[in-house]
Amino acid sequence: MTVLHSAPKYASNDGVADTLSAAIGDALVSAHEEHGELLFTVQRDGIEDALRTLRDEHEYQQLMEIAGVDYPGRPERFEVVYMLLSVTKNHRVMLKCSTDEATPVPTVTTLWPNAGWLEREVFDMYGVLFDGNTDLRRILTDYGFEGHPFRKDFPLTGYHELRYSEEEKRVVYEPVKLAQDLRTFDFMSPWEGADYVLPGDEKASTPPVDEPKTTESPKQTGAGPKTDAKAAEKVSAGSPAEEDTGVEEPDAPEPTEDRKGKAPRKGKGRDNPGATEIEEDKA
C-alpha cells in the first residue's frame, strides 16, 4: 500500500531565504546559504521573537539542537546556534546570535520545553548565560567543576585533579602527584650530547691518551709466516680419534629383499627387489 505524506522528500532552498528574512524583519543581521543550509544571523535581543515567528507562521515546529561556538578573538566571542526542523516541509534552517561572557541571551524555554536542557549544556560547556532559564545548572560536568571545557582557552593540562572522595562523600580538588615534576628533561639531540655530566659519569672519567697505540707492522699485530703455519696445523692432532687402531671398518650390510630362505611377506604388500638394487648390478 502506498503511503502519501505532505512533506516532500527533498525541500529546495529557492525563495526560502527571502521569505524568512522578511519575516524576521529588523532583527536580521545577515542571511546566506552554506553547505546547502540556510543560516540567519539575528540580533541577540530579537532571537526569541525570530524563533517564535518561524515556529508559528512558517511551520518550523521542532527545535533540534542548540550549539555553542567560541571565537576568542572577537569582542563577543560566543555564538549560540539554533537548529530548527519543519516536519511538514522537511526543511531545516539555522539561526544564530552572538554574546560575551557577561551578557545573557534570552531563553527560548517559553517556546520549546527541551530548550532548558540544551541551554544548560551550552552554559556548562561555554559559560553562556540565558536570561529567563529558571534551572540554569551544569549538566555534563561534575559537581564543583571549575571552568568551561569547550572554551578555546580552557587548559588541557593542569596541576589539580577532580575526583570523588569516599571519605568526605563529595567531589574534591587536590594537587596532581606526578613523579615527572621532580625530573629535568633534556630535549637535545642524542648525537650532540648533553652539556652537563650525567649521574655516574664522573666515576668513568679516564685520563687522555698522549700516544695512541697503532699496528702499522706485522710484528705489532702478531701476523706473519709463523702464525700462518701454526694455524694450518690440525687442532685435533694426537687425539684418540686420529690414532690408527688397525681394525677395518665394516662394510654396509647387504640388501635383504633377495636373501635366500627369506619368509614371504605377510599381507597385501609385495617384495620390490628393484628398490634395493646395487649400483654394481645396474652396471
Side-chain angles (χ1 to χ4, degrees):
M1 182 178 65
T2 305
V3 178
L4 299 179
H5 197 277
S6 59
K9 293 183 178 180
Y10 178 80
S12 174
N13 291 332
D14 296 339
V16 179
D18 296 336
T19 302
L20 297 184
S21 297
I24 295 173
D26 296 338
L28 181 67
V29 177
S30 64
H32 67 280
E33 182 176 350
E34 187 173 353
H35 305 293
E37 295 185 350
L38 296 178
L39 179 61
F40 300 89
T41 303
V42 183
Q43 295 178 5
R44 180 176 58 253
D45 296 336
I47 188 66
E48 182 182 4
D49 294 336
L51 292 172
R52 180 182 287 105
T53 300
L54 266 61
R55 185 196 67 173
D56 298 342
E57 300 179 9
H58 296 274
E59 301 180 355
Y60 287 92
Q61 302 95 343
Q62 294 187 2
L63 173 65
M64 304 304 297
E65 180 63 276
I66 300 179
V69 188
D70 184 15
Y71 298 95
R74 298 181 182 179
E76 293 186 346
R77 59 182 294 182
F78 301 115
E79 284 187 352
V80 182
V81 184
Y82 302 83
M83 305 177 189
L84 304 182
L85 169 65
S86 172
V87 294
T88 55
K89 300 178 180 179
N90 192 18
H91 193 263
R92 297 174 185 264
V93 294
M94 292 188 295
L95 280 74
K96 68 177 182 179
C97 64
S98 60
T99 186
D100 53 21
E101 301 178 10
T103 306
V105 177
T107 184
V108 294
T109 54
T110 55
L111 304 177
W112 292 281
N114 65 322
W117 289 68
L118 301 176
E119 289 177 355
R120 286 178 59 182
E121 181 179 352
V122 176
F123 163 72
D124 193 0
M125 296 291 103
Y126 295 93
V128 176
L129 301 176
F130 291 91
D131 185 19
N133 190 320
T134 58
D135 190 22
L136 196 62
R137 296 176 294 136
R138 291 184 180 270
I139 192 173
L140 296 178
T141 56
D142 210 337
Y143 298 101
F145 190 87
E146 297 179 3
H148 304 280
F150 279 6
R151 289 188 178 183
K152 296 295 180 62
D153 52 3
F154 185 80
L156 299 180
T157 59
Y159 294 96
H160 292 82
E161 64 179 352
L162 179 69
R163 68 176 182 87
Y164 181 80
S165 174
E166 284 289 345
E167 295 79 9
E168 302 182 20
K169 300 299 180 181
R170 66 182 183 89
V171 177
V172 296
Y173 276 86
E174 61 183 10
V176 178
K177 298 178 181 179
L178 298 177
Q180 285 83 350
D181 290 344
L182 304 178
R183 299 174 58 185
T184 55
F185 293 94
D186 179 22
F187 298 100
M188 295 179 59
S189 171
W191 306 110
E192 298 174 358
D195 55 356
Y196 53 86
V197 179
L198 297 174
D201 286 357
E202 67 277 358
K203 302 176 183 179
S205 59
T206 56
V209 180
D210 297 334
E211 296 181 2
K213 183 178 180 180
T214 59
T215 55
E216 298 177 355
S217 63
K219 182 178 180 181
Q220 293 175 330
T221 60
K226 293 183 179 180
T227 304
D228 296 340
K230 188 172 183 179
E233 297 178 0
K234 289 185 177 182
V235 179
S236 61
S239 62
E242 295 292 335
E243 296 180 356
D244 188 3
T245 59
V247 179
E248 295 183 0
E249 297 180 358
D251 296 333
E254 297 293 335
T256 59
E257 293 292 337
D258 54 353
R259 186 177 57 188
K260 295 180 180 181
K262 176 190 173 187
R265 188 185 295 272
K266 295 180 180 181
K268 298 182 179 181
R270 297 179 298 176
D271 294 338
N272 187 10
T276 55
E277 290 182 357
I278 305 175
E279 294 296 333
E280 297 178 357
D281 297 341
K282 292 182 179 180

